[in-house]
């Protein structure tokens, strides 16, 4: 009878390689109620904004009752009459000019400029949120104007132009939305955005003072419009494009990459210490140019011998999850039934899957990075997976490879075939060589029990990768040591341009040799495996996408009109 | 060298589709009729809403308002601004040819024929510009300080009932009465 070892009680050391030093404190469970390493921040300003939103709702409720509307209106008129005592001809002229800031043309100019810049910089998420905020706020303003039906200031001469009901002030709300939207989608957070806030405040202040002077709006009309146009808009931006996940940056940093400095950097170190028992001394971005699906990191951890060991980490966030969903939908349209993959439902699932694949491959004896587990940075929003860093390994490109390396690489594919796995992204940058041994990295797209087509494509991609540094004949001969000739024939019967990873395709094209053709001539003849297979799901998804596109285009103009941008 | 993350192409396509998805949401909101929020004209039983009409033409002694809309009628295009107010009355029996109601400082009935007055102190005129193939023309309610004009264009056959219906649908609210109500309910002075 086999018995399992009894777990030790209390804090135990890390389940990591003996090479690494356990954190002095060891792993520690986060007690209920204790915040996670990086709690989703609800800033003080956001709390104030939400409070202002509540006050607006209360004010509107009060205005729907004639008695309280009378009190509010009389109070408004007291303010307006006090302002009217300073009216002079030249000041009136000045205020009419200042009031022009709230004209539709100014709003459209700001809004369209923002839209153009967002589109130009391919910030489609910010653009979508900006448009939605405009539409939603515009509809809210229109709805409340109709619902409340408030008159313009009474008993006082109105000196400026106006249109329709007064509560809330539509021109002020739309100007605030245009400016605040531009600020939160175009200007990087920090010093420049803070300066921008002052600039926006000054512009809005001038416009509001002018409208009060001209008695076009009541003070409460302007107050509620400002709350809709500024705080509520900011809350929407905070929810939909939080700066920590979707930072506005012009520094060349990919939009998929998170900033690991400051609070997040500290949270990563703390999480690795408490959750994995790792003492990490340095966290830095690494290989960002090759990644858009996560934020790759190089971690320096304390080694058991007192020195330091390098680890590799991938930080996954909600934005990466969404990218993964859309990516898979696009692949379903392009590849159809052969790519029978489903999107992940949460970030946790995504990182759990990669951790599982790393362990599975490691257990199967494949030369993949050793997994150290993953840590929770922000629950359901950000997770960091940690694995071995292959020190001293080089990508399989540039330098010729010998028979031993070719044999080793093909055995890796053979092993994956035998245990029912497919890597699904074999290319020179994912196949490394160290001391004559092949190492395989980036298993995040791997599949367990993949389609036979996918496994065949893996073989073709590996053989092409090797042939770039050798000859097809040599690679073919080594392949016959671990694969049947029919297997190779199947691999190149499945091989199409779209099945080859972009990097490998580019290198094959640059190589100039007809590598695929040569492999096909070497292998037994076989009819091509069809790639473009249509099924109900693919037809449905494609039809849905096309219909969505058509509807979006058809109603775009209508939307712009509703949002007040036309 | 080390394990690397994903492929470069992952991040590109999703952003476009995310934008399209968001536009779809916007489209859904737009096509559900939300655009008509600010279109409805004030009713004669809503004096607090009617005040904006009074403010659009401070001289007008009467203000156009909606009594009750007969079945098949709707209003749209309400617009109140300095100089006057206008809105449209639409009938499903005369699609595409709404009745345009305008409160303006003055009218020129010209050769229009007098009709029975619709309110005390109001002179009503009717002028037909076409009897066949369509029944079209204008109705004017002229009163001190302003005028309400109604431009209509109906298909033959149902014009008599449509004329009756829209005349019944639009009422004239005395400014003096509105002034008293505003004073009583809100404690504010409407103005002249």
């Amino acid at each position: 009878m086999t018995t399992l070892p009894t777990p030790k009680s209390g804090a135990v050391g890390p389940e990591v390689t003996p090479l690494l030093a356990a954190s002095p404190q060891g792993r520690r469970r986060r007690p209920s109620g204790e915040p996670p390493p990086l709690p989703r921040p609800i800033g003080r300003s956001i709390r104030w904004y939400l409070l202002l939103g509540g006050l607006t709702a209360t004010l509107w409720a009060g205005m729907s009752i004639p008695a309280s509307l009378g009190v509010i209106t009389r109070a408004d008129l007291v303010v307006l009459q006090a302002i009217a005592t300073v009216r002079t001809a030249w000041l009136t002229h000045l205020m009419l000019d200042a009031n022009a800031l709230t004209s539709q043309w100014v709003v459209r100019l700001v809004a369209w400029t923002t839209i153009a810049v967002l589109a130009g910089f391919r910030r489609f998420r910010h653009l979508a949120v900006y448009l939605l905020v405009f539409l939603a706020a515009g509809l809210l303003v229109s709805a409340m104007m109709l619902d409340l039906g408030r008159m313009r200031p009474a008993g006082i001469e109105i000196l400026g132009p106006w249109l329709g009901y007064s509560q809330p002030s539509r021109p002020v709300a739309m100007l605030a939305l245009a400016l605040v939207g531009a600020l939160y989608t175009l200007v990087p957070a920090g010093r420049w955005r803070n300066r921008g806030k002052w600039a926006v405040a000054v512009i809005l202040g001038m416009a509001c003072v002018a409208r009060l002077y001209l008695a076009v709006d009541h003070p409460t009309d302007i107050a509620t419009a400002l709350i809709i146009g500024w705080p509520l808009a900011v809350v929407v931006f905070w929810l939909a494009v939080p700066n920590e996940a979707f930072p506005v940056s012009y520094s060349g940093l990919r939009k998929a990459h998170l900033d690991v400095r400051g609070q997040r950097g500290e949270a990563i170190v703390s999480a690795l210490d408490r959750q994995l028992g790792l003492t990490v001394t340095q966290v830095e971005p690494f290989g960002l140019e090759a990644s858009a699906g996560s934020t790759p990191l190089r971690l320096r951890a304390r080694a058991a011998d007192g020195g330091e060991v390098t680890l590799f980490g991938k930080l996954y966030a909600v934005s990466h999850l969404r990218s993964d969903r859309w990516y898979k939908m696009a692949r379903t349209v392009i590849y159809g039934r052969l790519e029978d993959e489903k999107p992940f439902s949460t970030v946790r699932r995504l990182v759990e899957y990669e951790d599982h694949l790393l362990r599975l491959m490691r257990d199967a004896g494949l030369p993949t990075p050793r997994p150290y587990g993953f840590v929770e940075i922000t629950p359901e929003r950000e997770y960091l997976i940690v694995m071995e860093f292959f020190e001293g390994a080089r990508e399989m490109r540039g330098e010729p490879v010998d028979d031993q390396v070719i044999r080793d690489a093909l055995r890796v594919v053979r092993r994956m075939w035998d245990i029912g796995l497919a890597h699904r992204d074999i290319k020179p940058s994912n196949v490394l060589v160290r001391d004559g041994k092949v190492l395989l990295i980036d298993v995040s797209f791997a599949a367990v029990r993949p389609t036979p087509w996918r496994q065949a494509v893996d073989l073709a991609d590996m053989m092409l990768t090797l042939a770039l540094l050798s000859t097809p004949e040599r690679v073919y001969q080594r392949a016959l040591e671990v694969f049947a000739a029919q297997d190779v024939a199947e691999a190149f019967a499945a091989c199409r341009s779209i099945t080859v990873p972009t990097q490998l395709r580019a290198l094959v094209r640059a190589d100039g040799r007809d590598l695929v053709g040569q492999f096909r001539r070497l292998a037994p003849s076989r009819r091509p495996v069809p790639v473009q297979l249509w099924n109900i799901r693919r037809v449905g998804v494609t039809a849905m996408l096309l219909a969505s596109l058509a509807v979006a285009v058809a109603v775009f103009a209508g939307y712009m009109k509703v949002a007040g941008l036309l | 060298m080390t394990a690397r993350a994903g492929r470069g192409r992952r991040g590109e396509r999703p952003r476009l589709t995310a934008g399209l998805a968001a536009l779809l949401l916007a489209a859904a909101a737009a096509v559900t009729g939300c655009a008509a929020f600010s279109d409805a004209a004030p009713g004669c039983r809503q004096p607090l809403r009617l005040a904006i009409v009074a403010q659009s033409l401070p001289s007008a002694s009467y203000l156009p308002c909606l009594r009750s809309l007969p079945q098949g009628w709707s209003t749209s295009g309400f617009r109140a601004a300095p100089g006057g107010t206008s809105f449209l009355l639409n009938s499903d029996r005369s699609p595409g040819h709404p009745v345009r109601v305008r409160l303006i400082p003055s009218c020129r009935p010209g050769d229009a024929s007098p009709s029975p007055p619709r309110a005390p102190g109001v002179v009503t005129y009717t002028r037909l510009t076409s009897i066949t193939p369509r029944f079209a023309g204008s109705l004017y309610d002229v009163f001190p300080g302003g005028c309400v004009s109604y431009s209509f264009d109906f298909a033959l056959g149902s014009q008599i009932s449509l004329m009756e219906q829209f005349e019944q649908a639009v009422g004239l609210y005395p400014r003096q009465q509105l002034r008293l109500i505003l004073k009583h309910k809100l404690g504010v002075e409407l103005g002249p």
Side-chain angles (χ1 to χ4, degrees), chain B residues 20-98:
Chain B
L20 289 174
L23 279 180
L24 279 179
L25 286 176
V31 297
T32 49
C34 298
F37 268 135
S38 60
D39 281 345
C44 298
R45 294 179 184 175
Q46 299 170 302
L48 298 187
R49 292 174 186 276
L50 203 51
I52 197 84
V53 180
Q55 289 180 304
S56 74
L57 193 62
S59 62
S61 54
Y62 279 98
L63 310 165
C65 59
L66 288 177
R67 283 199 191 105
S68 63
L69 280 175
Q71 199 164 11
W73 286 81
S74 62
T75 71
S76 62
F78 175 71
R79 187 180 190 280
T85 294
S86 64
F87 59 90
L88 301 174
L89 284 171
N90 310 286
S91 170
D92 57 5
R93 290 161 67 189
S94 182
H97 294 86

Side-chain angles (χ1 to χ4, degrees), chain A residues 367-497:
Chain A
T368 49
R370 178 194 178 102
Y372 292 125
F374 63 89
V375 294
E376 181 184 71
I377 307 297
T378 304
E380 300 302 333
R381 299 190 71 84
E382 284 185 36
Y383 291 86
L384 173 68
I385 185 169
V386 185
M387 64 193 82
E388 180 183 5
F389 185 98
F390 286 141
E391 291 265 24
R394 63 173 176 83
E395 289 183 3
M396 191 178 276
R397 56 191 294 189
E399 294 177 25
V401 290
D402 58 25
D403 280 357
Q404 180 55 40
V405 170
I406 296 173
R407 199 174 281 123
D408 201 31
L410 291 166
R411 279 184 181 146
V412 168
V413 178
R414 177 76 251 180
R415 179 66 181 150
M416 286 196 290
W417 279 36
D418 292 342
I419 60 175
L421 290 175
H423 183 276
R424 298 181 60 245
D425 195 21
I426 289 181
K427 57 186 179 184
S429 63
N430 284 345
V431 184
L432 312 183
V433 183
R434 186 174 63 184
D435 302 330
K437 293 286 183 187
V438 167
L439 305 167
L440 198 59
I441 62 170
D442 196 0
V443 305
S444 54
F445 293 103
V448 184
R449 301 293 159 216
T451 58
W453 170 82
R454 240 314 158 192
Q455 287 184 310
V457 167
D458 264 3
L459 176 58
D461 290 344
M462 182 62 91
M463 291 180 73
L464 286 171
T465 300
L466 295 168
L468 283 169
L469 308 174
S470 175
T471 63
E473 292 79 8
R474 199 167 157 196
V475 174
Y476 181 72
Q477 289 304 320
R478 298 290 79 74
L480 293 182
E481 294 175 12
V482 282
F483 292 97
Q486 285 301 328
D487 293 335
V488 180
E490 181 189 344
F492 285 94
C495 182
R496 294 280 183 286
S497 176

